[in-house]
């Protein structure tokens, strides 16, 4: 009896490492290997009013870059229609979901793509679109503003003086609010590095950054600020160390429109979704200068002085 028990124990122990290895093998594919439809299945429960088919048809693909937890950072380019033109098309970089708990800020990008890309202004533009900049925050058990490192990505951009200003601002002005932690260094996070790399590569003439829930428009940089998109009125919410508006709009002279939707969970009515889009396109068409145009310099200088 004793002998056979010993054999049993040896046999069981011998099996254990094997059993452990078996159990540790992931049943689901790693996020980086997911197909677009599978990515959509993960994303759409967090995107109000976006359906699986709308998500798949939007055509976003893995950019090759990943979030801290290995979720693909997705994007797509929409090229300007037609070839005969006097000057190059305007380049617009649009991003949503940089704060993971602002669900509508990611979802509205899909809605605009579904409904808004057919008009002449939209088709005259060269687009780079990044709908979910902070997928780890969006997909966290409880959606979170910050990324998986607890960093507010919109305070992690390398504004001049970041090292002294961003941590000090965080400690004193936000009283070390964990939702606004700027990180330990500028561009410390894979998601903010991705955005910065895309800005360098794509060289946008204007950036659209979508947030919620303040229900206003904000604007940084050269050009005449927009007054109203749909029901959203211009109301400058402030300039922060490490924010995208500050980094791009103020320091790089590439204007940033910040759209603050009125609710982080509930999408505006369809007509309002469309109005914001139409008003925004019109403003871009009438006000944005090409960054390499000779006239842009004058506008830059004036805009810069006004903003600072
Ligand atoms: Zn936000």
């Amino acid at each position: 009896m004793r002998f056979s028990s010993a054999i049993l124990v040896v046999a069981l122990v011998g099996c254990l490492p094997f059993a452990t290895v078996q159990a540790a093998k992931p049943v689901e594919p790693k996020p980086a290997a997911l197909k677009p439809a599978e990515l959509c299945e993960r994303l759409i429960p967090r995107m109000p009013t976006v359906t699986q088919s709308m998500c798949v048809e939007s055509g976003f693909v893995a950019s090759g870059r990943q979030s801290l937890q290995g979720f693909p950072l997705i994007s797509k380019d929409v090229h300007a229609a037609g070839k005969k033109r006097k000057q190059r098309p305007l380049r617009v970089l649009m991003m949503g979901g940089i704060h993971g708990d602002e669900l509508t800020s990611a979802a509205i990008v899909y809605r605009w793509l579904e409904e808004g890309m057919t008009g002449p202004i939209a088709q005259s533009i060269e687009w780079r679109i990044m709908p979910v900049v902070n997928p780890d925050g969006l997909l966290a058990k409880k959606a979170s503003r910050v990324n998986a490192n607890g960093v507010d990505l919109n305070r992690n951009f390398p504004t001049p003086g970041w090292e002294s200003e961003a941590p000090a601002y965080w400690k004193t002005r936000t009283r070390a609010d964990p939702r606004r932690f700027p990180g330990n260094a500028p561009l410390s996070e894979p998601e903010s590095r991705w955005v910065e790399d895309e800005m360098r590569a794509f060289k946008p003439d204007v950036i659209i950054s979508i947030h919620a829930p303040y229900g206003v428009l904000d604007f940084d940089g050269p050009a005449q600020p927009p007054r109203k998109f749909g029901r959203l009125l211009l109301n400058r919410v402030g300039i922060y160390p490490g924010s995208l508006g500050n980094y791009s709009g103020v320091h790089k002279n590439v204007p940033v429109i910040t759209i603050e939707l009125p609710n982080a969970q509930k999408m505006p009515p369809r007509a309002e979704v469309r109005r914001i889009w139409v008003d925004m396109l019109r403003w871009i068409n009438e006000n944005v200068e090409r960054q390499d145009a000779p006239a842009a310099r004058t506008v830059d200088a004036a805009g810069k002085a006004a903003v600072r």
Side-chain angles (χ1 to χ4, degrees), residues 25-97:
K25 268 195 178 173
V27 179
E28 292 182 41
K30 283 188 176 161
L34 292 174
K35 298 190 178 90
E38 296 167 319
L39 288 171
C40 283
E41 278 168 24
R42 301 242 183 139
L43 291 170
I44 57 160
R46 289 286 160 91
M47 292 203 290
T49 74
V50 177
T51 62
Q52 173 72 9
S53 63
M54 197 190 292
C55 178
V56 172
E57 280 159 25
S58 66
F60 289 106
V61 292
S63 64
R65 303 284 287 268
Q66 293 171 21
S67 70
L68 206 64
Q69 293 188 327
F71 199 86
L73 296 170
I74 55 173
S75 67
K76 89 174 211 175
D77 287 354
V78 181
H79 300 296
K83 293 226 164 89
K84 282 185 192 166
R85 51 177 88 90
K86 287 188 205 133
Q87 47 190 355
R88 69 159 175 82
L90 280 174
R91 290 192 287 261
V92 180
L93 179 66
M94 178 160 69
M95 65 183 88

Side-chain angles (χ1 to χ4, degrees), residues 6-307:
I7 288 177
L8 186 62
V9 168
V10 168
L12 278 174
V13 170
C15 283
L16 269 179
F18 179 69
T20 313
V21 169
Q22 286 292 305
K25 268 195 178 173
V27 179
E28 292 182 41
K30 283 188 176 161
L34 292 174
K35 298 190 178 90
E38 296 167 319
L39 288 171
C40 283
E41 278 168 24
R42 301 242 183 139
L43 291 170
I44 57 160
R46 289 286 160 91
M47 292 203 290
T49 74
V50 177
T51 62
Q52 173 72 9
S53 63
M54 197 190 292
C55 178
V56 172
E57 280 159 25
S58 66
F60 289 106
V61 292
S63 64
R65 303 284 287 268
Q66 293 171 21
S67 70
L68 206 64
Q69 293 188 327
F71 199 86
L73 296 170
I74 55 173
S75 67
K76 89 174 211 175
D77 287 354
V78 181
H79 300 296
K83 293 226 164 89
K84 282 185 192 166
R85 51 177 88 90
K86 287 188 205 133
Q87 47 190 355
R88 69 159 175 82
L90 280 174
R91 290 192 287 261
V92 180
L93 179 66
M94 178 160 69
M95 65 183 88
I98 194 167
H99 288 143
D101 58 354
E102 299 167 4
L103 311 187
T104 48
S105 78
I108 201 165
V109 175
Y110 291 81
R111 294 283 307 278
W112 283 337
L113 270 186
E114 195 207 19
E115 296 192 42
M117 281 297 181
T118 48
I121 300 179
Q123 292 192 341
S124 73
I125 289 171
E126 194 76 12
W127 295 89
R128 180 156 297 177
I129 309 175
M130 304 148 77
V132 187
V133 173
N134 179 10
D136 294 347
L138 183 83
L139 298 174
K141 203 164 187 184
K142 183 175 184 295
S144 77
R145 174 182 172 99
V146 293
N147 80 343
N149 259 345
V151 173
D152 180 344
L153 300 172
N154 202 31
R155 301 289 183 273
N156 194 239
F157 291 97
T159 46
W162 189 99
E163 283 81 357
S164 57
E165 288 176 15
Y169 187 97
W170 177 64
K171 276 179 207 142
T172 55
R173 300 286 294 277
T174 80
R175 296 183 191 173
D177 181 352
R179 285 167 45 79
R180 289 175 170 75
F181 178 56
N184 291 318
L187 297 181
S188 57
E189 306 309 304
E191 299 89 354
S192 50
R193 283 198 296 276
W194 179 55
V195 171
E196 219 266 339
D197 286 347
E198 295 291 357
M199 285 168 63
R200 280 177 192 280
F202 184 62
K203 299 183 174 58
D205 300 305
V206 63
I207 295 175
I208 301 162
S209 179
I210 309 154
H211 290 258
Y214 295 106
V216 295
L217 289 181
D218 197 1
F219 182 78
D220 294 291
Q224 190 67 32
R227 287 205 312 238
K228 189 170 178 280
F229 293 167
R231 288 164 172 259
L232 306 174
L233 301 175
L234 182 71
N235 185 352
R236 290 193 159 146
V237 290
I239 290 179
Y240 308 98
S243 78
L244 180 70
N246 190 351
Y247 175 58
S248 174
V250 179
H251 294 291
K252 300 194 92 168
N253 280 325
V254 176
V256 178
I257 303 169
T258 302
I259 293 184
E260 281 275 356
L261 297 171
N263 192 303
Q265 278 94 34
K266 192 167 172 279
M267 189 66 85
R270 186 174 181 176
E272 174 68 357
V273 168
R274 192 175 291 169
R275 266 197 301 266
I276 296 170
W277 176 250
V278 168
D279 289 352
M280 181 168 69
L281 289 180
R282 190 177 301 140
W283 180 85
I284 289 172
N285 194 42
E286 290 171 3
N287 293 280
V288 173
E289 297 280 340
R290 284 159 185 78
Q291 286 287 310
D292 43 12
R297 278 196 174 160
T298 335
V299 176
D300 280 3
K304 197 167 162 183
V307 169

